[in-house]
Amino acid sequence: MKNLLSFCVLSLSLCIQAQVVPDEFGNVKPEYLSMKNYPGDDQAEAVVLYDFGKTYFIDTDYGFRILFERTTKIKILTKAGIKYANVEIPYYVEKDEMERILSIDGYTFNFESGSLMRTKLDSKTIFEEKLNDHVILKKFALPDVKEGSVIEYKYKVESPYFVNLHDWEFQSSIPTIYSEYTVAMIPFYEYSYIFQGAKKFDVFKNTQTSMKRNFGGIEYADNVFTFGMKNVPAFRDEAFITSVNDYIMKIDFQLAVLHHLNGANVEYITTWPLLNEKLLKLPEFGLYIKNSAKNAGIILASLGISSLPPLEKADMIFRYVKSNYNWDGYYSKFAGKSSKDFLKTKTGNTADINLFLCAMLNEAGLDAYPVILSTRSNGKIPVDFPFQQFLNYVIVMTETGGKRYLLDATESLAQFGMLPVRCINNKGLIVDKERTEWVQLIDEAVSFETDSVRIAFNPEMDSASVSTTVISSGHRALDLRRSFITDPEKFRNDMMSGEMRMKMPLKTINLTEIEKPFTYDYMTSVLLESVSDKLLVNPFPGLVPTENPLKISFRNYPVDMIYSKTYNFISVIEVPKGYKFAEGIKDVNIDNALVTIRYSSQNTADNITIEGSYTFKKAVYFPHEYFELKKLYTTIVETFNNKIILQKTQ
Amino acid sequence: MFKFKAAGLIISLSLITLMCIAADCEVVKYKTVVEANNNKVVRTDTVVIRINKRMGEKYADISLNYTKDNPITELTAWITDKNGSVIRILKNKEIIESNAYSHAFYSDYLVKRFTLKHNDYPYTITYTYQETAKQYLFVADWYPVIGPDVPTLAASLTFIRPENFKVILIQKNLRNPEILSSSTILTERWQATYDGSIREEVLSESPRDHLPGLTIIPANFNYGIPGSNSSWLSFGEWLSKLISGLDELPESEKSLISKEIINLKDKTEIIKALYHYLQDHTRYVNVNIGIGGMKPYPASYVSQNKFGDCKALSNYMIALLNFAGIRSHYVCINSEDNPRKFYPDIPFQQFNHVIIAVPLDGDTIWLENTANCIPFGYFSHIQNRPALLVDGSNSRLVNIPAVNPEKLINCRHFNFNINENGGSSVTSRFVFRGSEFEDLSYMIMNSTPAEQNDQVHNFLPFSAFILNDWQIIKRGRDMDNLTLTASLFINKLTYPVGNQSYFAFQPADIPQFEQPAYRKLPVNISKPIITNDTLNYNLPAGRKFAEVPTGKIIENKYGKYCVNFQINGSSLIITREFRLNPMKISLVEYPDFFNFITAIKNHEKLKILFQ
């Protein structure tokens, strides 16, 4: 749902219900104290009784400032809910401008021995913690909180930042009985908003204040919008989802137009073409690319690649940037430092690195454009509405030989044209003044892992040597390379299951030659398992999942596997003298829209060969496919953990 | 929790030869100079890190912890390329200052962070800074190690002090110092290296005890108020003074407590009632500011806010007992599961936690005041270790006794009803004591139902199953055990073999010890590990057992494994006891110990055949 908040009449059909009125601050209704559980959710450890937010503009000596006030009242139902009495309020600071917390107040209410006990938050127990140069946390723990308490706090923040009006989440990890956000608009700033998580508001009101204000000789009234939601369920995180941001019920605001007193209007972002135009003029985006040109040219000259075909040239440039500049771990669509500083420090955020890559590609005569996107953790982009705050990352697209390649030089282990998982999130916007075009952020690389195993028994028949070779490509190779590089010891340990012992150390092939499949091999020894006169052999020790990760019985949100992947297995078991293959193994052959599972065996007098594979065909599975997917996963676990039986012949 | 001075870490020169492959990153030099006099201690560190490969670059992100009272000054840093040329000098604006990460709700620990990276390997990062402390409990707690996998090629600590500045030295894996001067100003220098091989291992001694390090303790100090490390008595007296006068309760609180205990005559009952009052009305919130690392918030603060850390809550509990006319004592301990070596003969701040001791009829009740979920008088988690009882001129080192092994036995009962398809429904009943009891007690009190479900799922010793139902029963808040019952279904328990089927019996809960070739640290089993299991397997109708392993007893100084198999028609009852004795096992003995574990595991692999 997208909307514009201005003085226009809203044309939306909105459900209008009665608002909830809060208690006077410092007071509590007896029913809140006597409340033992929340009928809407018997699992809730606490419930937000109400949460009121209000944003309005004040006229100060320094011009307008935004004030944000919040009052929250929570019932603590169980001891697990006491954590909601430890509160953190983040605020933003810069060198010249900053947000300020003007006041914090709080109470805890208990009903003990027949009387109401009210304990005030002691201002001496409010602390300030600096997270980094821009974010400070105010922290406080409300006093005397126990099972059954009602807590209440309010605070007020003054902000000079008009671009991002305070957003509002109607939903949290506990249920909310009533959540309401009021914004009082003035004619000088016009905002767009987007609402997600529900089809309509339970409460909506639009009024004008009766008291007129005056600014620069213009008389105006505040245009007040109230948005309310009732009985909002708890948002409980589930595994395999992209981002809470994609699902939680919230309203986001973005400055659209600034109306000056002289009648001039400054359009902030109202269309994607305008966003593109603006980005290209910004020193931390378009001008950064321009300003990098000279240095990019000097580097290119030293690389001596001018005579290479375009694709090879692009590949060489991509490799150069990846291997020479370090990502500092920060996502941004804007460069964090000057191009000069970036080249000196060899370190930068995603924009520093990728915009420089773009400059190098351009200087080399290649078509290259920045592509702005929203990472998976940041949530989906509402493509039909230009909220620039939803875009938090920039990559590069280069076009050569009629083909497009998406590049992210922050991921040193990614091949040319492969995006890291964090970027695979629907689509990104090509930043080009000539066009407004979206590009799909998909993974074209084939992701597979092939495990080849050879099992030979030692002459004493008390153990077997297992030689394993793992070959991987695409994202699977990227994941494995990264795990190995991050912690080789953990990587080795994770391969060992049960009573496996390492016999020969792990050897990697093509660890850094990323255009080739990542391969590693190792040899382990496993103790033999037997029953009666039969040997039991696990054909894929330590290689196949032993447990179904899909545990819950019902799924609310899509299962996001990020990319489609295939696992292939082959195991050759050398049949020892005096033994023979005892059992026919049941072949498995499942191929449907969700997965493919294959498993078969062949045997000769000397060897038994087990071959199998499974493929998750989709990157994202819908909630209605969950039950079937879970069942198929169980089949995979059971099939590939089957033991091969060898029978003594004498 | 107490505040520990941030410490770095270490090995012997002979191990250096093992480093035949260049590490991704190595500390070329770690030079520390500590200059102390009666007014202050100034420590100057110069660290040279060589980044050999891109994989070592995580160590190019450098963090230096400090506090407002112990500021860091004169921080400079630069990069030198492989030719030895300085190519970049750190600018002040590149240093990020913030609060340091802490487990506390709020702590005033600060951190300076910066990153120095280059794109041509190898390159070296050099940084140097000074830290000044006017109030301190340690002159130095020095470990010249930046990461467990990073070798330190050459480290030194030079200690300069006036002759009359008395200290106690604890050398760890270090040779004796060179004496550089011994006139009115003493100068000594220690040297160290580290090969980058020490890691935490299964039931190992604390890795830190195996690193090179030097702890310098002042004989006398002024931390808040003057004190002395000359004896446990003097150190205890200093703490007594630090906490004195903090036990005043508001009148409103006194009247509430009076109501709690008015009808109680028995002293133990009064102590218990007040302990329950504490558990029911307070919560653990750690706020750590300045000397607050050692000095508790007063009882009146806890009374008002109903929260505090271990010191504040213990001090408050003492105040509650005091009001009831019961004397108790503040007791400092190290509460870690695997604490660093304790030096009973060297009095100094070796603790990170506070509990209280209540003397009663010649015995002592130990009270842990930070957990709302543990029973009255329960102390298994801190058992069998020294502690400092703070009692003015009667302060002394005491021993928290070892828990009776009976109090640590975990019992597991499984009943498997196998179906014709190889699946099995399972009902299981666990009686937990010791650390599992503590974990589950905490869980049921402080986790949401969804979290509890996940945790129980992870807790159950099966890999592929459907959890149908579970329940935790704790019979009274002061019981030291609880029962978890769970019913579940295993899709695949038995497998066909010819016209018969087999299954593996549920294995004993045995830690996964490292192979002897890879083990680096001695074993330290601080308390007995005992599990008694009963496994009941019921075959589908008409089936009978074809082959069942024989019973086995393996017993030696390390522990005991005893398993029995008894067939009763179509049922098989397996009883099993597994015990590891509390002991230390050296690396020399380790292969023998590992053989004991392997012998048990070999028996556990045997299968049961039925037809």
Side-chain angles (χ1 to χ4, degrees):
Chain A
M1 188 194 280
K2 62 175 184 179
N3 301 285
L4 205 62
L5 288 191
S6 65
F7 277 71
C8 322
V9 177
L10 281 149
S11 59
L12 292 157
S13 64
L14 294 156
C15 174
I16 300 174
Q17 292 188 18
Q19 273 176 272
V20 172
V21 181
D23 302 333
E24 193 183 328
F25 193 74
N27 289 299
V28 64
K29 290 191 183 90
E31 62 262 35
Y32 290 155
L33 283 168
S34 59
M35 185 177 184
K36 295 283 178 230
N37 53 42
Y38 175 58
D41 183 349
D42 59 2
Q43 302 236 315
E45 67 271 30
V47 57
V48 177
L49 299 167
Y50 54 71
D51 194 9
F52 285 94
K54 184 177 168 191
T55 288
Y56 55 100
F57 291 77
I58 54 163
D59 188 3
T60 73
D61 294 346
Y62 316 101
F64 282 114
R65 288 287 182 269
I66 296 175
L67 277 190
F68 170 72
E69 291 179 15
R70 181 175 200 167
T71 304
T72 307
K73 199 165 217 162
I74 297 172
K75 169 74 181 183
I76 309 295
L77 294 167
T78 70
K79 280 200 164 67
I82 290 176
K83 58 178 174 277
Y84 295 98
N86 294 358
V87 184
E88 293 181 355
I89 309 166
Y91 65 100
Y92 193 80
V93 295
E94 284 177 312
K95 209 171 174 188
D96 305 319
E97 287 190 316
M98 62 175 72
E99 292 183 328
R100 290 191 304 144
I101 308 264
L102 300 181
S103 63
I104 298 175
D105 214 348
Y107 287 98
T108 302
F109 306 93
N110 290 298
F111 192 72
E112 281 172 0
S113 313
S115 28
L116 169 71
M117 310 288 287
R118 189 179 78 156
T119 314
K120 193 172 175 5
L121 171 69
D122 181 353
S123 61
K124 290 201 287 289
T125 62
I126 302 172
F127 307 102
E128 194 167 273
E129 186 175 300
K130 189 177 170 189
L131 273 194
N132 56 44
D133 281 348
H134 295 300
V135 182
I136 297 178
L137 293 179
K138 282 275 186 190
K139 294 177 114 176
F140 56 90
L142 285 152
D144 198 10
V145 180
K146 58 197 94 171
E147 208 170 322
S149 298
V150 173
I151 59 171
E152 173 181 55
Y153 55 86
K154 66 174 181 182
Y155 59 88
K156 195 186 277 189
V157 186
E158 184 194 274
S159 171
Y161 305 115
F162 296 98
V163 175
N164 299 329
L165 201 71
H166 208 290
D167 301 329
W168 187 255
E169 291 183 352
F170 295 93
Q171 196 172 22
S172 73
S173 51
I174 49 175
T176 300
I177 294 178
Y178 186 66
S179 177
E180 180 182 290
Y181 190 36
T182 299
V183 282
M185 296 292 172
I186 57 173
F188 311 103
Y189 299 94
E190 198 173 308
Y191 289 85
S192 309
Y193 74 85
I194 186 160
F195 175 53
Q196 74 167 32
K199 290 199 172 70
K200 59 188 177 184
F201 296 108
D202 290 335
V203 171
F204 178 81
K205 256 190 358 182
N206 179 208
T207 56
Q208 295 219 356
T209 49
S210 53
M211 203 175 75
K212 301 283 188 219
R213 293 207 274 167
N214 188 303
F215 183 75
I218 295 178
E219 194 173 72
Y220 65 94
D222 285 14
N223 195 11
V224 183
F225 297 86
T226 301
F227 312 93
M229 292 303 294
K230 291 180 173 174
N231 302 320
V232 183
F235 184 89
R236 298 198 173 97
D237 207 353
E238 295 191 33
F240 301 103
I241 62 166
T242 42
S243 165
V244 171
N245 279 336
D246 285 349
Y247 302 102
I248 202 155
M249 193 185 293
K250 65 173 181 176
I251 184 166
D252 281 321
F253 290 87
Q254 170 72 24
L255 180 60
V257 187
L258 171 58
H259 301 281
H260 281 291
L261 288 174
N262 61 11
N265 294 335
V266 179
E267 295 261 333
Y268 268 68
I269 298 155
T270 50
T271 65
W272 291 117
L274 279 175
L275 171 61
N276 273 356
E277 210 174 290
K278 185 188 166 199
L279 286 172
L280 289 168
K281 286 179 190 159
L282 286 177
E284 57 273 30
F285 198 91
L287 295 184
Y288 178 94
I289 300 173
K290 270 193 182 164
N291 294 337
S292 301
K294 192 178 161 196
N295 285 318
I298 295 168
I299 294 168
L300 280 169
S302 72
L303 295 179
I305 55 170
S306 57
S307 59
L308 290 178
L311 188 59
E312 281 180 47
K313 211 191 284 183
D315 187 25
M316 291 300 284
I317 292 168
F318 179 61
R319 281 166 193 257
Y320 176 83
V321 176
K322 273 193 314 176
S323 56
N324 283 277
Y325 303 101
N326 283 284
W327 179 39
D328 61 12
Y330 288 101
Y331 296 177
S332 181
K333 59 183 177 286
F334 295 130
K337 51 179 80 165
S338 70
S339 149
K340 191 176 143 204
D341 271 358
F342 168 64
L343 293 175
K344 197 170 162 192
T345 58
K346 322 278 187 217
T347 303
N349 66 27
T350 48
D352 290 315
I353 292 175
N354 285 330
L355 295 178
F356 187 75
L357 168 68
C358 191
M360 277 192 79
L361 292 165
N362 285 337
E363 276 306 292
L366 298 161
D367 278 341
Y369 308 92
V371 173
I372 48 172
L373 58 92
S374 169
T375 54
R376 293 169 64 80
S377 57
N378 196 52
K380 282 184 290 213
I381 303 176
V383 176
D384 55 349
F385 205 73
F387 266 112
Q388 74 115 342
Q389 78 213 52
F390 282 130
L391 300 153
N392 67 331
Y393 202 96
V394 60
I395 57 169
V396 178
M397 183 187 79
T398 185
E399 291 179 289
T400 177
K403 205 172 169 219
R404 291 173 162 186
Y405 299 90
L406 296 171
L407 306 175
D408 182 355
T410 65
E411 179 52 77
S412 62
L413 296 169
Q415 296 172 47
F416 187 80
M418 178 199 274
L419 289 179
V421 162
R422 56 182 172 270
C423 299
I424 302 177
N425 194 23
N426 197 16
K427 43 187 154 183
L429 178 69
I430 301 169
V431 183
D432 180 9
K433 63 181 173 197
E434 306 294 333
R435 59 181 161 177
T436 303
E437 188 185 340
W438 294 88
V439 59
Q440 283 293 330
L441 304 169
I442 49 170
D443 177 42
E444 288 187 349
V446 181
S447 287
F448 75 80
E449 177 181 322
T450 298
D451 301 346
S452 308
V453 179
R454 188 163 193 97
I455 299 176
F457 298 88
N458 73 350
E460 292 78 30
M461 291 304 291
D462 58 356
S463 67
S465 292
V466 183
S467 306
T468 307
T469 302
V470 175
I471 301 172
S472 58
S473 80
H475 271 285
R476 183 65 188 154
L478 177 61
D479 288 348
L480 290 169
R481 281 188 170 104
R482 197 189 288 116
S483 306
F484 182 82
I485 286 173
T486 307
D487 192 344
E489 209 162 288
K490 184 173 181 306
F491 187 85
R492 286 185 202 103
N493 291 339
D494 287 350
M495 290 183 326
M496 311 294 280
S497 75
E499 295 310 299
M500 290 168 70
R501 304 274 175 246
M502 192 61 91
K503 261 181 102 173
M504 270 168 56
L506 180 129
K507 197 173 79 195
T508 62
I509 302 162
N510 304 330
L511 176 62
T512 52
E513 290 168 66
I514 51 172
E515 67 286 357
K516 297 180 182 165
F518 176 46
T519 302
Y520 54 90
D521 51 43
Y522 56 97
M523 187 186 275
T524 53
S525 120
V526 291
L527 295 173
L528 288 191
E529 294 180 77
S530 61
V531 55
S532 189
D533 56 352
K534 297 176 182 70
L535 286 177
L536 309 170
V537 186
N538 178 0
F540 308 114
L543 295 168
V544 290
T546 54
E547 189 164 14
N548 186 347
L550 306 174
K551 291 196 172 84
I552 54 173
S553 48
F554 178 76
R555 179 88 186 179
N556 290 309
Y557 304 102
V559 180
D560 192 335
M561 309 282 265
I562 308 165
Y563 53 89
S564 150
K565 56 202 97 176
T566 296
Y567 295 89
N568 301 306
F569 302 91
I570 179 163
S571 180
V572 178
I573 301 164
E574 296 178 7
V575 179
K577 272 195 180 140
Y579 282 86
K580 65 172 186 183
F581 182 40
E583 297 288 324
I585 303 171
K586 216 169 89 186
D587 288 359
V588 177
N589 214 335
I590 296 171
D591 189 10
N592 58 29
L594 307 183
V595 301
T596 302
I597 308 170
R598 301 192 196 285
Y599 186 93
S600 64
S601 66
Q602 284 185 327
N603 63 293
T604 65
D606 300 327
N607 292 323
I608 305 163
T609 304
I610 315 292
E611 276 189 87
S613 68
Y614 57 88
T615 300
F616 294 102
K617 289 186 174 175
K618 299 173 70 170
V620 179
Y621 291 90
F622 296 112
H624 71 265
E625 296 170 325
Y626 177 76
F627 183 73
E628 185 62 19
L629 181 68
K630 185 180 171 185
K631 216 167 73 182
L632 289 163
Y633 214 123
T634 300
T635 306
I636 291 170
V637 171
E638 287 180 9
T639 304
F640 286 88
N641 283 290
N642 265 328
K643 289 198 167 73
I644 309 304
I645 298 165
L646 299 175
Q647 165 86 55
K648 218 171 193 168
T649 52
Q650 302 131 13
Chain B
M1 299 278 169
F2 276 157
K3 187 187 282 191
F4 268 127
K5 188 172 161 47
L9 303 189
I10 317 183
I11 258 178
S12 75
L13 280 170
S14 61
L15 289 171
I16 277 289
T17 51
L18 294 173
M19 293 185 296
C20 46
I21 303 166
D24 299 335
C25 162
E26 49 204 352
V27 175
V28 178
K29 185 168 98 171
Y30 196 121
K31 182 183 168 194
T32 300
V33 177
V34 176
E35 199 164 358
N37 61 39
N38 290 319
N39 298 321
K40 63 180 179 185
V41 170
V42 179
R43 169 175 168 158
T44 309
D45 274 17
T46 305
V47 183
V48 182
I49 300 171
R50 184 162 57 219
I51 308 288
N52 290 319
K53 298 175 198 161
R54 193 162 187 166
M55 281 163 71
E57 259 178 352
K58 62 183 173 186
Y59 293 105
D61 295 320
I62 291 152
S63 297
L64 304 170
N65 289 327
Y66 65 103
T67 64
K68 202 174 76 185
D69 296 331
N70 294 10
I72 281 180
T73 54
E74 295 173 41
L75 170 59
T76 54
W78 60 91
I79 296 180
T80 313
D81 70 10
K82 59 184 167 195
N83 302 316
S85 308
V86 174
I87 53 164
R88 200 182 136 208
I89 296 170
L90 183 75
K91 290 179 191 159
N92 269 342
K93 67 172 187 183
E94 293 174 310
I95 302 169
I96 298 168
E97 296 179 2
S98 67
N99 283 72
Y101 172 77
S102 154
H103 291 295
F105 176 69
Y106 176 76
S107 162
D108 63 353
Y109 282 16
L110 301 167
V111 64
K112 287 180 193 272
R113 287 181 285 136
F114 59 90
T115 298
L116 281 175
K117 288 183 181 175
H118 186 46
N119 55 3
D120 193 10
Y121 307 93
Y123 64 90
T124 58
I125 301 161
T126 304
Y127 62 90
T128 177
Y129 65 94
Q130 211 166 72
E131 187 180 354
T132 305
K134 291 189 175 164
Q135 293 201 31
Y136 49 86
L137 290 172
F138 294 85
V139 174
D141 194 17
W142 182 73
Y143 291 91
V145 174
I146 63 165
D149 57 340
V150 181
T152 299
L153 308 186
S156 68
L157 183 143
T158 305
F159 181 34
I160 306 162
R161 68 182 195 274
E163 196 184 20
N164 63 356
F165 186 86
K166 300 294 178 203
V167 293
I168 302 126
L169 300 165
I170 303 178
Q171 292 180 194
K172 284 164 266 187
N173 310 300
L174 285 184
R175 287 187 292 190
N176 285 335
E178 292 170 72
I179 310 295
L180 300 179
S181 93
S182 56
S183 56
T184 51
I185 300 290
L186 294 178
T187 306
E188 295 157 283
R189 185 169 66 203
W190 288 260
Q191 300 203 38
T193 59
Y194 170 59
D195 72 347
S197 70
I198 301 297
R199 309 279 190 284
E200 180 98 43
E201 294 176 312
V202 177
L203 293 172
S204 67
E205 290 182 354
S206 170
R208 185 163 280 216
D209 288 334
H210 293 265
L211 298 172
L214 178 69
T215 304
I216 307 175
I217 302 141
N220 300 299
F221 56 85
N222 190 343
Y223 195 76
I225 51 172
S228 163
N229 281 316
S230 60
S231 65
W232 285 115
L233 169 61
S234 67
F235 188 73
E237 281 183 317
W238 169 76
L239 265 171
S240 290
K241 281 183 201 149
L242 202 65
I243 64 175
S244 72
L246 302 174
D247 56 352
E248 252 328 289
L249 289 171
E251 288 307 318
S252 55
E253 177 93 67
K254 288 179 184 171
S255 82
L256 278 174
I257 307 163
S258 300
K259 284 180 201 158
E260 292 285 326
I261 56 174
I262 193 159
N263 294 321
L264 301 175
K265 298 282 175 257
D266 179 73
K267 210 169 163 183
T268 307
E269 288 305 311
I270 294 171
I271 301 166
K272 190 191 278 187
L274 291 176
Y275 185 70
H276 289 165
Y277 178 82
L278 170 95
Q279 285 187 315
D280 294 342
H281 290 83
T282 64
R283 73 189 204 267
Y284 177 77
V285 174
N286 186 356
V287 173
N288 206 336
I289 301 173
I291 198 171
M294 292 298 292
K295 184 174 180 172
Y297 277 95
S300 55
Y301 173 96
V302 177
S303 182
Q304 161 75 16
N305 291 299
K306 295 289 191 288
F307 60 67
D309 64 2
C310 62
K311 302 181 297 295
L313 294 171
S314 292
N315 177 64
Y316 171 73
M317 185 66 204
I318 290 172
L320 296 183
L321 290 165
N322 201 24
F323 174 73
I326 297 167
R327 190 167 155 72
S328 61
H329 307 291
Y330 195 82
V331 175
C332 303
I333 57 162
N334 186 336
S335 67
E336 291 169 4
D337 287 342
N338 189 14
R340 281 207 259 181
K341 181 179 172 185
F342 189 84
Y343 297 89
D345 301 327
I346 310 176
F348 70 103
Q349 160 48 8
Q350 301 184 56
F351 314 100
N352 71 348
H353 188 49
V354 173
I355 59 167
I356 73 166
V358 192
L360 188 73
D361 306 330
D363 204 351
T364 303
I365 299 172
W366 307 97
L367 295 180
E368 163 65 67
N369 305 297
T370 58
N372 53 15
C373 58
I374 68 166
F376 171 66
Y378 180 90
F379 63 94
S380 287
H381 60 306
I382 44 157
Q383 61 108 41
N384 198 18
R385 62 187 70 192
L388 175 65
L389 188 141
V390 179
D391 183 16
S393 59
N394 199 24
S395 297
R396 61 199 182 275
L397 210 58
V398 294
N399 272 313
I400 310 279
V403 168
N404 181 343
E406 297 289 314
K407 300 269 186 194
L408 297 169
I409 298 173
N410 285 332
C411 297
R412 310 188 304 173
H413 182 98
F414 301 95
N415 193 52
F416 297 83
N417 287 316
I418 299 167
N419 67 25
E420 280 293 352
N421 300 322
S424 178
S425 60
V426 186
T427 52
S428 55
R429 195 168 71 87
F430 304 77
V431 178
F432 288 118
R433 298 178 178 83
S435 53
E436 287 86 356
F437 160 75
E438 292 155 28
D439 292 346
L440 287 171
S441 295
Y442 183 84
M443 182 196 86
I444 50 171
M445 193 162 269
N446 296 296
S447 303
T448 64
E451 290 164 349
Q452 290 178 22
N453 205 52
D454 280 354
Q455 289 174 47
V456 167
H457 206 287
N458 293 334
F459 205 84
L460 292 169
F462 305 101
S463 59
F465 66 98
I466 298 158
L467 178 59
N468 296 325
D469 189 27
W470 63 270
Q471 198 181 7
I472 287 179
I473 304 152
K474 196 172 167 187
R475 296 183 200 286
R477 64 187 296 170
D478 291 322
M479 291 295 285
D480 62 0
N481 64 75
L482 56 74
T483 303
L484 164 67
T485 59
S487 76
L488 50 108
F489 185 79
I490 299 175
N491 281 331
K492 202 80 186 145
L493 179 73
T494 76
Y495 296 85
V497 46
N499 55 2
Q500 297 177 320
S501 293
Y502 75 92
F503 64 88
F505 60 97
Q506 184 63 31
D509 189 8
I510 302 172
Q512 288 279 2
F513 287 96
E514 293 82 4
Q515 284 173 260
Y518 296 100
R519 182 82 187 193
K520 300 276 183 193
L521 298 179
V523 176
N524 178 25
I525 301 169
S526 59
K527 51 189 172 192
I529 296 171
I530 309 170
T531 310
N532 290 340
D533 291 335
T534 307
L535 317 172
N536 198 353
Y537 289 92
N538 303 306
L539 297 179
R543 302 292 203 118
K544 60 180 185 183
F545 289 98
E547 196 173 300
V548 168
T550 52
K552 181 125 184 152
I553 298 176
I554 306 172
E555 187 168 15
N556 56 27
K557 64 179 177 180
Y558 305 118
K560 184 179 178 185
Y561 172 77
C562 172
V563 63
N564 277 299
F565 299 82
Q566 191 191 338
I567 297 172
N568 187 4
S570 62
S571 294
L572 169 68
I573 298 165
I574 305 172
T575 52
R576 178 175 56 200
E577 179 190 348
F578 171 70
R579 192 180 72 222
L580 283 181
N581 294 328
M583 66 190 301
K584 285 181 186 284
I585 300 163
S586 70
L587 285 181
V588 175
E589 276 183 296
Y590 186 76
D592 189 39
F593 169 71
F594 191 77
N595 285 341
F596 165 67
I597 296 292
T598 306
I600 296 170
K601 291 203 166 179
N602 278 340
H603 201 75
E604 290 273 293
K605 281 181 347 67
L606 296 176
K607 303 290 183 289
I608 290 152
L609 197 63
F610 65 94
Q611 56 195 24

